[in-house]
């Protein structure tokens, strides 16, 4: 490998922000190319071989030297065989332009393609990562927490595939550490106040809760910007004011209206989430309608009534059934809402001309949930990693993306980083916006 | 050494380019076909640490990235480029079964030690060092929060209240205990109940007084609640529960989605376990003092049974619209979901 030699090519490109004249001078001084030839290269789009037979180190140093003067060069391996001793040659072929010329317009086949999601994590493997995380977190009295979290998320993202390419979680643990310390500090203040002076403690909590829409908004942005697919980061550009509407005003109105406005609040929340999300510079579009949310709520209520009636009828035959009725309703209707809301969100969302399809089903979800809960309880929590993997596998298997374009043409955006404080506060106070 | 095959993304778009990464002259050479995209030193790129079988990512300063599933290939490159005994340490920990077993044992042992010993021990120390004024303050506030909706002025006749107070006082003086403030309150929500507010307040509800068939039964309850006060159970429980919540937040970072069951449930079970432990302590306290004053302990057992029967009947009425004579026995599993030990177990201690 090391005996391979390299050639340095010039395609007539000057690096941005450099003086063309200076670059030209450097080229004519260090090489034997005449200014006339340089013009020809630039105007006719040809390739000049500046040097041949270079070692990696030489090639690297020359490239840096030219770059310092603003000359953009390209490296290529010398062809095998006896070295060509001619010092300089002009190749007639136009430059191959390997680096992507990205186009915003999605081009693709004429037939819709389906891109399927797939989750490849394994319970055993995840358990090993989880238990080591836990141990290190305990041994470091919690300081390792952010590292553990990043490793955990990297595993889950890295095993989530769309087509055959995985997602990536890119947050840095140190970013999280500061935010987590602030969040835990606030929580400790609350616990202490609650203890010493419950009324002031409650007032403090109330103030913190007033800050939650802000925290959720920041949390969404932080998560999106640290998630990538094909090295293009996601983005979230929700405004704080809007976050207050959907996470505070609408839910409060929902409660004041005896639940009548709740479906509308959920509709607003999903719209806020989806319509402010971006893949690189391409926005997700949301076309859900409030009516669908009322339909889901209506079905859920009918389901709840049906279960309550049946269980109290059966309760006359066998008393314990009457006791578990309310519990059963809670679990069944909870699963129904989770499934329906998740389907609703994805089925109303598209990315350019690619449309999501989510086909989760309540019975299957409920089965997984029941088995997970049972095994978690029986193993005193140690089954948790397997439970998580099982659920992720099911969710991924029900999700797909279809449309005419392929996934090659999305442009990455230039992004500001967002601090992790909001995200950690949202997590510590358990007000994250779940999907 | 063979080149590592993978995909290259330039960071400007989502376009995927098949590429390879090889080592030459202590530098990483990134190639697509026979075009060389980049030659860099190891310290100019960020190579993600190995994690299970997930895709490895090599990020360039320009924002471009090379991704590959060939983890072993990258490890071979790294072994030459930047050999370090720490490289892949976490992955080695996570891959070795003896290590995993050891981690598991350590985690379980630590959690158990913390929840069963360290936390109760520290909570007790803190509770006894807490100034009385602080506790008094908490107590007044809790009471003022409950007063009104939850607690209404007692509707027991004054004479009955006086009579009970005198009996209680005699018992307390004879026991050499600190005199508490005893309040009678009417409460629809709490039903027949009594509770202690540290450092020195006991509350009896009217319904409880009426449920008692003999005053000795109430003496038993008084001594049980005095047991809570003497050992500062209220404060200790508050400290333990808060610290447990804070500790689990510190370890898990968040309590959400299915973690609700995985982490939330053990948390609740532990807190309920603390509560049952305190109840047992208060029971033994009451039992010891009842013996000392030659009050038959079975009176306390009687009122406990009556209390349970009453609450189960009310529950049964609410759920099934049925009257009840004999409440159904609760399955053993439910004992772990209860703030108090099983009544039968408690009663047995007092009937001996």
């Amino acid at each position: 490998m090391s005996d391979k030699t390299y050639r340095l090519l010039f395609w007539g490109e000057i690096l941005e922000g450099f003086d063309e004249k200076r670059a030209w001078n450097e080229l004519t001084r260090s090489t034997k190319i005449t200014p006339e030839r340089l013009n020809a290269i630039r105007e006719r789009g040809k390739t000049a071989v500046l040097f041949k037979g270079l070692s990696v180190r030489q090639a690297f140093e020359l490239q840096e030297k030219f770059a310092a003067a603003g000359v953009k060069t390209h490296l290529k391996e010398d062809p095998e065989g006896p070295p060509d001793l001619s010092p300089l040659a002009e190749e007639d072929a136009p430059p191959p332009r390997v680096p992507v010329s990205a186009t915003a317009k999605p081009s693709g086949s004429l037939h819709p393609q389906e891109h399927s999601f797939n989750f490849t994590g394994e319970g055993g493997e995840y358990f090993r990562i989880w238990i080591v995380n836990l141990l290190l977190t305990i041994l470091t009295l919690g300081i390792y927490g952010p590292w553990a979290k990043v490793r955990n998320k990297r595993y889950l993202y890295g095993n989530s595939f769309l087509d055959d390419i995985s997602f990536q979680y890119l947050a840095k643990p140190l970013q999280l550490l500061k935010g987590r310390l602030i969040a835990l500090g606030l929580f400790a203040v609350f616990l202490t106040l609650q203890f010493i002076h419950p009324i002031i403690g409650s007032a403090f909590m109330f103030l913190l809760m007033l800050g939650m829409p802000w925290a959720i908004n920041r949390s969404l942005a932080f998560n999106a910007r640290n998630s990538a697919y094909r090295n293009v980061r996601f983005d979230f550009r929700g405004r704080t004011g809007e976050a207050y509407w959907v996470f505070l005003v609408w839910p409060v109105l929902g409660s004041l209206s005896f639940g009548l406005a709740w479906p509308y609040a959920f509709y607003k929340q999903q719209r806020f989430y989806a319509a402010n999300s971006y893949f690189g510079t391409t926005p997700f579009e949301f076309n859900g309608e409030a009516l669908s949310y009322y339909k889901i709520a209506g079905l859920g209520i009918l389901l709840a009534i049906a279960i309550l009636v049946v269980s109290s009828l059966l309760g006359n035959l066998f008393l314990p059934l009457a006791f578990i009725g309310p519990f059963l309703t809670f679990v069944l209707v909870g699963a129904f809402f989770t499934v329906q809301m998740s389907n609703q969100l994805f089925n109303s969302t598209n990315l350019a001309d690619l449309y999501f399809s989510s086909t989760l089903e309540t019975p299957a979800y409920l089965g997984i949930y029941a088995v997970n809960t049972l095994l978690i309880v029986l193993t005193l929590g140690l089954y948790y990693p397997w439970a998580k993997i099982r659920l992720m596998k099911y969710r991924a298997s029900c999700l797909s993306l279809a449309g005419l374009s392929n996934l090659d043409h999305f442009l990455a955006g230039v992004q500001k980083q967002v601090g992790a404080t909001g995200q950690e506060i949202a997590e510590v106070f358990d007000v994250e916006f779940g999907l | 050494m063979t080149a590592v095959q993978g995909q290259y993304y330039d960071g400007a778009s989502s376009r995927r380019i098949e590429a390879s990464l090889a080592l030459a002259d202590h530098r990483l050479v990134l190639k697509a076909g026979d075009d060389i995209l980049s030659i860099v030193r190891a310290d100019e790129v960020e190579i993600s640490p190995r994690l299970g079988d997930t895709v490895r990512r090599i990020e360039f300063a320009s924002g471009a990235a090379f991704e590959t599933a060939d983890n072993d290939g990258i490890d071979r490159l790294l072994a030459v480029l930047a050999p370090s005994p720490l490289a892949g340490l976490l992955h080695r920990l996570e891959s070795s079964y003896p290590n995993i077993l050891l981690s598991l044992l350590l985690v379980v042992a630590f959690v158990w030690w913390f929840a069963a010993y360290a936390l109760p021990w520290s909570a007790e120390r803190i509770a006894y060092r807490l100034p009385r004024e602080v506790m008094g303050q908490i107590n007044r506030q809790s009471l003022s929060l409950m007063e009104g909706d939850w607690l209404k002025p007692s509707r027991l006749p004054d004479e009955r209240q006086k009579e009970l107070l005198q009996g209680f006082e005699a018992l307390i003086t004879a026991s050499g205990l600190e005199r508490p403030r005893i309040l009678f309150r009417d409460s629809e929500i709490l039903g027949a109940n009594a509770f202690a507010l540290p450092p020195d307040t006991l509350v009896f509800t009217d319904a409880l007084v009426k449920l008692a068939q003999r005053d000795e039964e109430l003496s038993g309850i008084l001594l049980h609640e005095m047991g809570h006060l003497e050992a500062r159970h209220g404060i200790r429980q508050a400290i333990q529960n808060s610290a447990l919540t804070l500790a689990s937040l510190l370890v898990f970072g968040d309590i959400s989605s299915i973690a609700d069951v995985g982490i939330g449930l053990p948390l609740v079970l532990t807190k309920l376990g603390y509560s049952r432990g305190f109840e047992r302590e208060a029971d033994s306290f009451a039992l010891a003092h009842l013996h000392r004053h030659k009050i038959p302990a079975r009176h306390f057992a009687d009122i406990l049974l009556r209390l349970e029967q009453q609450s189960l009947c009310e529950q049964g009425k609410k759920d099934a619209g049925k009257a009840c004579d004999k409440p159904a026995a609760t399955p053993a599993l439910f004992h772990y979901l209860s703030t108090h030990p099983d009544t039968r177990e408690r009663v047995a201690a007092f009937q001996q």
Side-chain angles (χ1 to χ4, degrees):
Chain A
M1 181 79 221
S2 307
D3 13 295
K4 276 203 175 132
T5 55
Y6 300 89
R7 51 181 59 186
L8 198 62
L9 309 180
F10 177 60
W11 297 341
E13 295 159 295
I14 304 296
L15 289 165
E16 229 172 270
F18 279 91
D19 180 28
E20 201 169 315
K21 222 170 180 179
R22 196 179 146 210
W24 248 225
N25 284 341
E26 176 66 32
L27 271 171
T28 41
R29 200 160 52 84
S30 315
T31 66
K32 292 169 188 164
I33 305 178
T34 58
E36 295 78 52
R37 208 144 180 93
L38 282 175
N39 276 335
I41 289 163
R42 194 169 54 160
E43 279 160 19
R44 284 184 276 142
K46 292 196 173 177
T47 301
V49 179
L50 301 178
F51 292 98
K52 278 185 188 178
L54 301 167
S55 74
V56 168
R57 188 177 297 260
Q58 287 171 325
F60 183 71
E61 280 162 6
L62 276 171
Q63 193 171 33
E64 286 199 331
K65 184 179 141 200
F66 279 114
V71 181
K72 186 169 183 182
T73 53
H74 299 266
L75 284 168
K76 208 166 178 154
E77 246 169 50
D78 276 333
E80 304 276 348
D84 177 2
L85 290 173
S86 62
L88 206 50
E90 188 179 329
E91 291 177 0
D92 280 333
R97 306 272 166 195
V98 168
V100 184
S101 63
T103 51
K105 271 185 197 158
S107 67
S109 63
L110 288 173
H111 303 288
Q113 275 178 294
E114 193 175 282
H115 309 275
S116 51
F117 287 84
N118 187 20
F119 185 74
T120 57
E122 282 167 27
E125 192 177 49
Y126 186 44
F127 173 79
R128 303 204 301 269
I129 291 162
W130 183 78
I131 197 82
V132 171
N133 270 345
L134 219 52
L135 179 70
L136 293 178
T137 307
I138 288 171
L139 291 181
T140 57
L141 301 176
I143 304 293
Y144 186 74
W147 280 264
K149 177 178 169 172
V150 166
R151 214 165 161 75
N152 177 47
K153 282 208 149 182
R154 269 187 57 211
Y155 183 80
L156 298 177
Y157 277 57
N159 279 300
S160 302
F161 285 81
L162 173 56
D163 285 344
D164 51 350
I165 302 175
S166 73
F167 288 80
Q168 300 266 330
Y169 184 68
L170 303 174
K172 303 273 180 290
L174 274 176
Q175 288 176 291
L176 294 171
L177 185 63
K178 195 185 110 210
R180 177 169 298 204
L181 289 178
I182 293 174
L184 284 173
L186 287 174
F187 196 72
V189 168
F190 161 69
L191 285 179
T192 317
L193 281 178
Q194 180 79 341
F195 194 68
I196 296 174
H197 202 298
I199 294 168
I200 294 185
S202 307
F204 182 74
M205 190 40 129
F206 179 74
L207 285 179
L208 277 179
M209 283 298 146
L210 280 184
M212 284 306 138
W214 169 83
I216 296 173
N217 194 38
R218 299 279 289 197
S219 164
L220 289 171
F222 182 84
N223 266 324
R225 288 175 200 178
N226 284 298
S227 307
Y229 177 69
R230 291 169 170 254
N231 200 25
V232 172
R233 285 176 191 248
F234 290 81
D235 193 7
F236 182 79
R237 303 185 197 161
R239 288 198 315 276
T240 312
E242 214 183 328
Y244 271 88
W245 271 100
V246 304
F247 294 119
L248 190 68
V249 179
W250 281 113
V252 166
L253 288 178
S255 303
L256 289 180
S257 62
F258 302 104
L260 277 179
W262 264 112
Y264 193 73
F266 281 121
Y267 158 72
K268 285 300 227 184
Q269 288 183 357
Q270 289 204 340
R271 169 174 288 280
F272 174 71
Y273 173 64
N276 284 309
S277 291
Y278 292 77
F279 177 49
T281 52
T282 314
F284 285 88
E285 284 158 46
F286 183 79
N287 47 47
E289 285 170 9
L291 187 62
S292 322
Y293 293 79
Y294 280 92
K295 280 184 187 155
I296 294 173
L299 280 173
I301 291 167
L302 284 180
L303 186 65
I305 293 172
I307 299 166
L308 279 176
V309 166
V310 168
S311 68
S312 68
L313 284 178
L314 290 174
N316 282 329
L317 302 171
F318 182 58
L319 192 64
L321 278 179
F323 288 105
I324 61 167
F327 171 71
L328 211 62
T329 313
F330 180 74
V331 171
L332 276 170
V333 177
F336 174 79
F337 277 130
T338 308
V339 162
Q340 294 300 319
M341 291 301 281
S342 191
N343 284 345
Q344 177 64 31
L345 173 67
F346 283 112
N347 293 335
S348 312
T349 304
N350 62 292
L351 177 66
D353 70 338
L354 294 165
Y355 287 79
F356 285 95
S357 154
S358 172
T359 55
L360 295 173
E361 282 171 6
T362 307
Y365 185 87
L366 203 60
I368 292 169
Y369 189 82
V371 171
N372 279 352
T373 306
L374 186 70
L375 289 172
I376 283 174
V377 171
L378 289 180
T379 58
L380 300 175
L382 290 178
Y383 186 74
Y384 173 73
W386 283 273
K388 180 95 185 165
I389 297 291
R390 189 192 289 258
L391 201 60
M392 300 265 303
K393 266 194 197 304
Y394 176 63
R395 280 181 161 276
S397 72
C398 292
L399 193 62
S400 65
L401 192 59
L404 287 178
S405 53
N406 59 36
L407 292 158
D408 266 348
H409 304 281
F410 292 95
L411 290 182
V414 184
Q415 293 185 354
K416 285 182 297 192
Q417 267 306 322
V418 58
T421 309
Q423 125 98 13
E424 289 298 300
I425 290 176
E427 282 209 355
V428 164
F429 290 91
D430 203 15
V431 290
E432 272 197 289
F433 181 65
L435 292 183
Chain B
M1 194 183 291
T2 50
V4 178
Q5 301 299 318
Q7 292 79 40
Y8 172 77
Y9 305 94
D10 66 359
S13 86
S14 61
R15 163 112 171 251
R16 162 163 71 167
I17 298 162
E18 291 304 324
S20 71
L21 195 65
L23 203 59
D25 203 10
H26 271 265
R27 288 199 166 80
L28 288 167
V29 180
L30 179 69
K31 285 196 302 180
D34 38 295
D35 287 302
I36 297 187
L37 300 176
S38 189
I39 297 181
V40 292
R41 288 191 309 270
D43 61 356
E44 292 172 305
V45 291
E46 201 175 322
I47 303 176
S48 63
R50 185 164 184 171
L51 174 61
D53 268 335
T54 55
V55 162
R56 215 53 174 278
R57 176 183 162 93
I58 289 90
E59 192 176 314
F60 296 84
S62 63
F66 174 78
E67 293 180 2
T68 177
D70 185 359
N71 273 305
D72 291 336
I74 293 293
D75 286 345
R76 277 197 303 272
L77 293 183
L78 273 176
V80 178
L81 266 183
S84 149
L86 289 175
L89 180 69
L90 281 173
H91 179 68
R92 290 207 300 274
L93 269 178
E94 288 158 358
S95 316
S96 130
Y97 282 92
N99 275 336
I100 293 304
L101 193 64
L102 185 67
S103 303
L104 179 62
L105 290 176
L106 282 175
V107 167
V108 171
F110 178 86
V111 169
W112 181 67
W113 171 78
F114 179 77
Y117 295 99
L119 189 53
W121 187 86
S122 333
E124 195 179 339
R125 295 294 168 294
I126 296 170
Y128 281 109
R129 273 173 183 70
L130 216 58
R132 271 186 89 81
E133 302 84 73
V134 174
M135 288 199 291
Q137 165 104 357
I138 301 167
N139 161 4
R140 275 192 299 282
Q141 285 193 26
S142 321
L143 202 60
S144 70
L145 281 177
M146 293 171 82
E147 210 86 67
D149 282 346
W150 282 41
L151 301 177
K152 295 191 170 66
S154 173
R155 279 189 279 188
L156 294 171
D158 283 351
E159 306 85 69
R160 175 73 177 132
Q161 288 191 27
K162 259 189 201 137
E163 182 192 8
L164 280 172
L165 282 176
Q166 273 167 9
F168 287 168
E169 219 156 284
L171 189 63
I172 288 162
T173 318
S175 304
L177 296 170
E178 223 174 303
R179 261 181 59 190
R181 194 159 67 108
I182 298 171
L183 306 171
F184 295 100
R185 290 286 183 272
D186 187 33
S187 173
E188 209 175 303
I189 294 164
L190 297 173
N193 213 330
F195 54 93
L197 288 170
D200 63 351
T201 307
L202 296 183
V203 179
F204 284 78
T205 65
D206 290 3
L208 181 70
V209 174
K210 283 177 192 152
L211 188 72
Q213 286 168 356
R214 305 170 61 112
D215 286 358
E216 283 94 336
E217 294 177 358
L218 292 174
S219 300
I221 302 232
L222 172 81
L223 287 167
H224 172 93
E225 297 303 332
M226 286 300 294
H228 283 318
L229 279 190
E230 282 288 310
R232 305 202 165 180
H233 285 161
I235 297 288
R236 280 160 65 185
Q237 193 167 354
I239 295 174
Q240 282 173 214
N241 289 352
S242 313
L244 201 63
T245 306
L246 198 60
S248 51
L249 275 176
L250 198 63
V251 171
F252 295 105
D254 62 310
I255 301 185
S256 54
S257 64
I258 58 166
D260 271 344
V261 185
I263 298 157
L265 189 80
L267 214 58
V268 169
L269 289 181
T270 312
K271 290 177 181 175
L272 288 172
Y274 289 148
S275 172
R276 287 195 302 275
F278 289 139
E279 295 303 330
R280 283 201 190 94
E281 259 182 64
D283 274 359
S284 356
F285 181 92
L287 191 61
H289 281 275
L290 286 173
H291 279 318
R292 245 177 80 188
H293 299 292
K294 308 245 164 5
I295 301 171
R298 67 182 158 75
H299 293 312
F300 184 62
D302 289 345
I303 195 160
L304 279 183
L305 280 173
R306 220 173 296 129
L307 273 167
E308 188 190 47
Q309 175 138 4
Q310 195 195 34
S311 72
L312 280 174
C313 285
E314 272 169 13
Q315 190 64 37
K317 266 184 222 157
K318 240 189 268 164
D319 288 353
K322 284 191 169 180
C324 80
D325 314 312
K326 264 191 200 156
T330 45
L333 192 63
F334 287 166
H335 298 167
Y336 293 102
L337 298 172
S338 172
T339 54
H340 287 62
D342 181 35
T343 308
R344 252 151 291 273
E345 174 200 322
R346 298 177 71 189
V347 162
F350 285 88
Q351 281 172 338
Q352 276 163 9

